[in-house]
């Protein structure tokens, strides 16, 4: 008979040994031999003090663990032929010698023509598996390991090889190389690397990097990743280098990179996504507009007015750097440009009373060196002086640099904004630089927003001249101003940025929005070049009726949330704006310090709860005065502007959100206990259809679409909404009625009047399982132990 203390000690040991056995990376090692199935175990049959009745539980055997030391990917692309080289190191942190099978899921649309595999520096034999062969392996792993991570790749082929024994504490290097021809659609070449499986690693990756070097006989234009933040460097029209690097992370998204080749004049490329099965009536689009690096005769002559704060607070290193920034702008004027210079404090000190040709810049550079910092800050008068200097016929770029709040003359923010709006012609683009934390963020951001510009904040210790020079390098050569878009037969709406900025040589404009309708259409881009109207037509732009890049929906939602947050910050909270922020953040799983409802509000998935969250957020915003200056105000302004202009979907910025909110395709999920719940599931108004984990219906459901497969890969307990029906994955062996799972849907138009046969949505979902299922690799160790103890005490 087991006494309670000894019994608890046994349970503790057993639970602590329940560790993940599969290392999921882009390449996956499945150790041999496979661990036996979890075993049933009973609490003592005789009465024990503190226990009421015997309780059945399930105990998982010890599982070996491999850690991923590093994961490096180098890609070389020559005219759409990509060679991918993967370098990984696995460390055996267990106390046993391990060997097993290495599986590398191939990109869905790849056509691998050649591959090589090295383990520990020695070339080994491997096999390229068809999608059918790989699926059999994936399903076997899911059944044996009780870990559905590979379901996301159930429709893909794979590379398979045996791995030699890895001794305890030993590190084994695996290198893989494969060649593929990249697909092109709508003029965009697409490269994808299957990084997503890393999110199921037992530990964060110590280091991960992807470097892509592309060369083409045709000039390269747009370069874009919707999945990861990348740095891009170029050395000419025919090549580029793009890189992503991180440490201590669990990447949860495949790496996607798109690029286009040269088009005459200004290039335009379109990506779309439409999921009629997910309740979205309209589609999402992302448009890349990119001129070449060489602008030639299409370069627009411009006027540049530099307005420099020389008040006493600028004294010292700040003013030295500001002077250097002004000199940089002058040195990089184009021959046809004109310039103006105004230094301000208590009074105004212009270099000249009018715009001057670029040939006069050397005089202005000498004048800048004579300036000193003293006096107060008259922002109102400085802006009006600059507006009076503007001349018609050219775009005017007004660079306004200040480190303080208005302290002289008119200091009321609304009066300053109204006066400048009345005085400034429509050709003015205002770019504000706020230096330090003692700046009025609402004033600067409002000026930039109203006059087609942007704000850059330079924190204490950061270099002013570097910030200004990096900005000016991007706007040196405008090629098209006053941009307008026409989408032809397609209705496009709600796109961001709402006010299209000017287009500059070597730059790239990214527009994300919604569309109604489908099929081929002509997109027309119009604007002005040297005061003359110009238009560019792009026929044959395809707006899909179904399918596409699912990340576009979350990217659009991120930008819209950023725009709405800026509107609330600059113009005040209104119910409609707050309600939209709450709905978008919950539906698309966008978690920021300002939209953390999925993390902080357990009931956020019901319509009634979202209304209550909106009411509470509105009351708090209206009761709290807007903070316009100080470090928190600057940080908020920066973060919300970054959301509004996001190039890719940002990772959740709250640490606690990493294990609570996930995306799978176009769906977002929030974890409640053991269950990942689709954010489109209304917990108060929908019933679920149960499907047993590991059953035939389970694997059939996983193959319905990549979206569903990605959802089921989140964990062994998932509620996913597909075509209006909520499917709930329940524990294996739990009695459930036969589910009427829909057949796989081929990509293409979906006729909503002819839906597949689906189960009755009124059928209630199952009760929670009474026994403790096998510990999944997705469950933190602390949660495994807590769930086990909870089951022991529940009776």
């Amino acid at each position: 008979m087991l006494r309670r203390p000894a019994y608890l000690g046994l349970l503790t040991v057993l639970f602590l040994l329940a560790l993940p056995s599969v290392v999921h990376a882009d390449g996956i090692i499945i150790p041999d031999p496979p661990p036996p199935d979890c075993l049933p175990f009973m609490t003592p049959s005789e009465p024990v003090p503190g226990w009421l009745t015997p309780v059945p539980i399930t105990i998982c055997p010890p599982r070996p663990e491999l850690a991923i030391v590093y994961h490096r990917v180098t890609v070389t692309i020559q005219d759409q032929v990509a060679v991918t080289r993967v370098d990984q190191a696995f460390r055996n942190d267990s106390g046993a010698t391990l060997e097993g099978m290495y599986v590398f899921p191939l990109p869905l649309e790849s056509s691998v023509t050649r591959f090589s595999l090295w383990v520990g520096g020695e070339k080994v034999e491997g096999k390229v598996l068809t999608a059918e062969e790989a699926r059999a392996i994936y399903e076997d792993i899911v059944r044996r390991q009780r870990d559905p991570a590979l379901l996301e790749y159930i429709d893909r082929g794979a590379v398979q090889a045996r791995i030699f024994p890895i001794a305890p504490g030993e590190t084994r290097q695996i290198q893989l190389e494969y060649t593929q021809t990249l697909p092109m659609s709508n003029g965009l070449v697409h490269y994808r690397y299957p990084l997503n499986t890393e999110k199921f690693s037992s530990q964060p990756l110590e280091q991960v990097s992807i470097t892509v070097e592309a060369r083409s006989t045709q000039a390269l234009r747009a370069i874009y990743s919707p999945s990861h933040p990348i740095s891009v460097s170029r050395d000419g029209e025919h090549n580029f280098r793009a890189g992503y690097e991180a440490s201590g992370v669990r990447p949860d998204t495949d790496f996607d990179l798109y690029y286009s080749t040269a088009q005459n004049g200004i290039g335009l490329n379109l990506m779309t996504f439409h999921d009629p099965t997910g309740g979205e009536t309209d589609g999402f689009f992302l448009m890349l507009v990119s001129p070449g690096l060489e602008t030639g005769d299409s370069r627009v002559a411009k006027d540049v007015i530099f307005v420099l704060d020389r008040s006493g607070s600028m004294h010292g290193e700040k003013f030295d750097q500001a002077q250097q920034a002004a000199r940089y702008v002058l040195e990089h004027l184009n021959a046809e440009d004109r310039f103006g210079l105004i230094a301000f404090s208590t009074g105004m000190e212009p270099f000249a009373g009018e715009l001057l040709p670029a040939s006069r810049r050397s005089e202005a550079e000498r004048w800048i060196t004579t300036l000193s910092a003293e006096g107060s800050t008259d922002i109102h008068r400085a802006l009006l002086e600059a507006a009076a200097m503007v001349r018609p016929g050219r775009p005017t770029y007004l660079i306004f640099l200040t480190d303080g709040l208005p302290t002289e003359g008119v200091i009321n923010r609304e009066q300053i904004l109204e006066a400048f709006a009345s005085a400034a012609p429509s050709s003015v683009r205002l770019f504000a630089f706020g230096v330090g934390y003692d700046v009025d963020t609402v004033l600067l951001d409002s000026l930039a927003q109203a006059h087609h510009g942007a704000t850059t904040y330079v924190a204490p210790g950061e270099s002013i001249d570097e910030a200004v020079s990096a900005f000016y390098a991007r706007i040196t050569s405008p090629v098209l101003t006053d941009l307008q878009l026409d989408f032809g037969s397609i209705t496009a709406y709600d796109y961001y940025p709402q006010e299209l900025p000017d287009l500059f040589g070597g730059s790239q404009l990214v527009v994300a929005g919604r569309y109604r309708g489908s099929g081929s259409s002509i997109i027309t881009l119009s604007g002005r070049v040297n005061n003359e109207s110009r238009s560019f037509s792009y026929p044959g732009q395809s707006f899909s009726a179904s399918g596409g890049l699912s990340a576009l929906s979350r990217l659009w939602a991120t930008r819209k949330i950023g725009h709405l947050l800026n509107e609330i910050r600059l113009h005040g909270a209104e119910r409609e704006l707050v309600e939209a922020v709450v709905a978008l953040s919950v539906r698309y799983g966008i978690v920021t310090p300002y939209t953390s409802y999925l993390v902080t509000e357990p009931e956020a998935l019901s319509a009634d709860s979202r209304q209550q969250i909106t009411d509470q957020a509105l009351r708090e915003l209206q009761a709290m005065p807007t903070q316009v200056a100080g470090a928190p105000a600057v940080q908020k302004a920066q973060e919300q502007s970054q959301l509004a202009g996001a190039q890719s979907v940002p990772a959740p910025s709250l640490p606690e959100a990493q294990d609570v909110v996930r995306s799978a395709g176009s769906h977002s999920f929030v974890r409640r206990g053991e269950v990942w719940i689709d954010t489109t599931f209304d917990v108060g108004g929908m019933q679920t259809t149960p499907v047993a984990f590991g059953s035939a219906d389970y694997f059939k459901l996983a193959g319905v679409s990549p979206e569903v497969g990605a959802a089921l890969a989140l964990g062994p307990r998932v509620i996913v909404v597909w075509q209006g029906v909520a499917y709930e994955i329940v524990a294996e062996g739990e009695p459930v009625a036969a589910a009427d799972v829909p057949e796989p849907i081929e990509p293409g138009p979906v006729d909503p009047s002819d839906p597949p046969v689906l189960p009755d949505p009124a059928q209630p979902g199952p009760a929670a399982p009474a026994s403790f299922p096998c510990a999944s690799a997705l469950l933190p160790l602390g949660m495994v132990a807590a769930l086990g103890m909870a089951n022991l005490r529940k009776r």
Side-chain angles (χ1 to χ4, degrees), residues 550-591:
S550 61
L552 300 188
S553 59
R554 298 188 71 234
L555 178 60
W556 169 82
T558 299
R559 286 196 167 196
K560 180 162 185 175
I561 286 174
H563 171 79
L564 293 172
L565 290 174
N566 271 331
E567 289 295 304
I568 292 170
R569 181 172 60 90
L570 299 180
H571 306 295
E574 297 180 4
R575 168 170 291 279
E576 183 181 358
L577 300 179
V578 176
E579 195 170 51
V581 169
V582 172
L584 287 166
S585 64
V586 171
R587 165 63 181 87
Y588 296 99
I590 309 299
V591 178

Side-chain angles (χ1 to χ4, degrees), residues 222-244:
I223 305 161
Y224 178 71
S225 172
S227 59
H228 293 79
I230 59 172
S231 60
V232 178
S233 60
R234 303 198 63 175
D235 182 21
E237 292 267 4
H238 296 267
N239 60 78
F240 71 83
R241 180 186 178 94
Y244 163 75

Side-chain angles (χ1 to χ4, degrees), residues 209-266:
S209 63
I210 300 178
T211 302
V212 181
E213 294 189 4
R215 294 182 295 274
S216 174
T217 53
Q218 292 183 293
L220 299 169
R221 289 290 177 82
I223 305 161
Y224 178 71
S225 172
S227 59
H228 293 79
I230 59 172
S231 60
V232 178
S233 60
R234 303 198 63 175
D235 182 21
E237 292 267 4
H238 296 267
N239 60 78
F240 71 83
R241 180 186 178 94
Y244 163 75
E245 185 171 346
S247 58
V249 296
R250 286 190 177 98
D252 62 355
T253 306
D254 286 345
F255 177 81
D256 283 303
L257 181 71
Y258 292 84
Y259 67 88
S260 66
T261 53
Q263 301 174 2
N264 292 329
I266 297 171

